[in-house]
Amino acid sequence: MRVFSPLLINTPDIELWPGGLLRARGNHDARALSRARHVLRRKRDGRYLAADLPEGVLPLVHRLFHEPGIDAALDALDHAGLRHHRLLHVGVDRVGTLPLARLCERLDALGIDDDYGQRSGLALVAEPDWLAFAGVDRYRRPLWLHVDAARGWTHLRAAALRDGVVLEAISGYRSHDYQLGIFERKFARGLTLEEILNVNAAPGYSEHHSGLALDIGAPGEPPAEESFEQTPAFAWLQSNAGGHGFVMSYPRDNPHGIVYEPWHWRWQPAR
């Protein structure tokens, strides 16, 4: 079994990023990040909270130990070495999921109740407690996926390249907080909840939360546009993606009421 390294270790409020993958936002951060084994990053806004240095945890914000979720993040940090050891020496580590209680409270505040799931046929999706590094996306950002989807994406992209087709990842895993941020920004632009739900799955209902889905593009093509279906990349995916475990989630007239998304593909384990 191929092991993907490094890993993103996930907690409800804070992500633990491996050192070397995040860009510094100032001289102080640059010095800390250059030596960090892990960086604690707040999920709701991407703020760097602390650097895990060989000599201990260095706070990058005032009152670090009052941050929501910091205890869970530090507990995960304590166990990070054990997780890496299991993956490196045993080759396996179970992917668990994070609790949904915090998300449900925030959905209530948005006015999204259980009826949304029943109407759309979509289920709440828990976030994995760790994700594998699957290279970088079109924008040179780290691409995080469930370890099985990461392996599948690597094989899918390599197979396409052998046939002369270049596939680009546009995005992979997205946290609940990321999806909530989309809604907040669109509310600020004056859109209604109904208008947003016509285009975006409600926070917690997106397949991206699982790390099993990714948006795929082709060089020179705009991201996440229906025009992707006219590309050789899409034609290749239609013929070959299924053999690598990927399916298109939202074809035309899909039962979930989500707009046609020829760019959105999900890794589906063999049954």
Side-chain angles (χ1 to χ4, degrees):
M1 176 182 291
R2 182 176 177 183
V3 175
F4 289 81
S5 183
L7 310 177
L8 184 149
I9 299 173
N10 206 5
T11 71
D13 296 282
I14 297 169
E15 297 168 342
L16 279 65
W17 280 62
L21 289 181
L22 288 169
R23 299 176 182 173
R25 297 172 180 173
N27 290 335
H28 180 256
D29 284 353
R31 289 192 295 271
L33 267 59
S34 68
R35 301 176 55 236
R37 297 175 296 192
H38 298 89
V39 178
L40 276 64
R41 182 177 181 267
R42 188 192 287 152
K43 292 168 76 168
R44 63 181 168 84
D45 60 4
R47 179 77 182 272
Y48 303 162
L49 299 176
D52 171 33
L53 305 179
E55 62 269 27
V57 174
L58 172 68
L60 299 176
V61 295
H62 295 298
R63 296 170 62 84
L64 170 67
F65 296 102
H66 292 271
E67 279 287 331
I70 190 63
D71 289 339
L74 293 176
D75 285 345
L77 185 61
D78 286 342
H79 291 92
L82 177 61
R83 170 155 282 160
H84 280 270
H85 176 83
R86 285 198 297 261
L87 283 163
L88 288 172
H89 297 282
V90 181
V92 294
D93 189 35
R94 183 182 65 85
V95 180
T97 55
L98 301 181
L100 289 167
R102 174 174 170 271
L103 171 68
C104 292
E105 293 176 0
R106 299 174 78 178
L107 289 174
D108 286 342
L110 287 176
I112 300 172
D113 55 23
D114 292 341
D115 287 345
Y116 170 79
Q118 295 171 4
R119 291 194 308 273
S120 66
L122 298 172
L124 272 176
V125 179
E127 298 179 28
D129 62 356
W130 67 274
L131 294 121
F133 180 67
V136 295
D137 65 16
R138 169 184 288 187
Y139 309 103
R140 310 305 299 170
R141 302 174 301 192
L143 177 67
W144 298 108
L145 293 170
H146 185 288
V147 63
D148 295 328
R151 186 180 302 110
W153 166 242
T154 299
H155 293 162
L156 182 74
R157 185 177 53 179
L161 195 58
R162 287 193 294 270
D163 289 339
V165 174
V166 176
L167 301 179
E168 292 182 331
I170 303 300
S171 66
Y173 161 75
R174 300 177 196 159
S175 69
H176 295 156
D177 285 87
Y178 181 96
Q179 198 80 356
L180 284 158
I182 292 174
F183 275 64
E184 290 166 358
R185 289 189 291 275
K186 290 191 173 184
F187 281 136
R189 298 207 305 265
L191 275 69
T192 66
L193 179 61
E194 183 177 354
E195 289 171 331
I196 301 171
L197 289 175
N198 283 335
V199 178
N200 299 102
Y205 291 88
S206 170
E207 291 182 340
H208 285 282
H209 301 320
S210 68
L212 294 171
L214 75 163
D215 294 338
I216 299 174
E221 287 294 318
E225 293 287 346
E226 191 173 314
S227 59
F228 178 62
E229 73 169 353
Q230 304 299 325
T231 65
F234 179 72
W236 188 92
L237 286 167
Q238 282 191 304
S239 298
N240 298 279
H244 293 273
F246 283 90
V247 297
M248 185 171 57
S249 297
Y250 306 118
R252 283 192 174 87
D253 302 318
N254 64 82
H256 307 296
I258 294 176
V259 295
Y260 174 45
E261 295 189 356
W263 61 86
H264 179 102
W265 296 76
R266 181 184 81 256
W267 186 83
Q268 184 168 280
R271 300 187 185 280

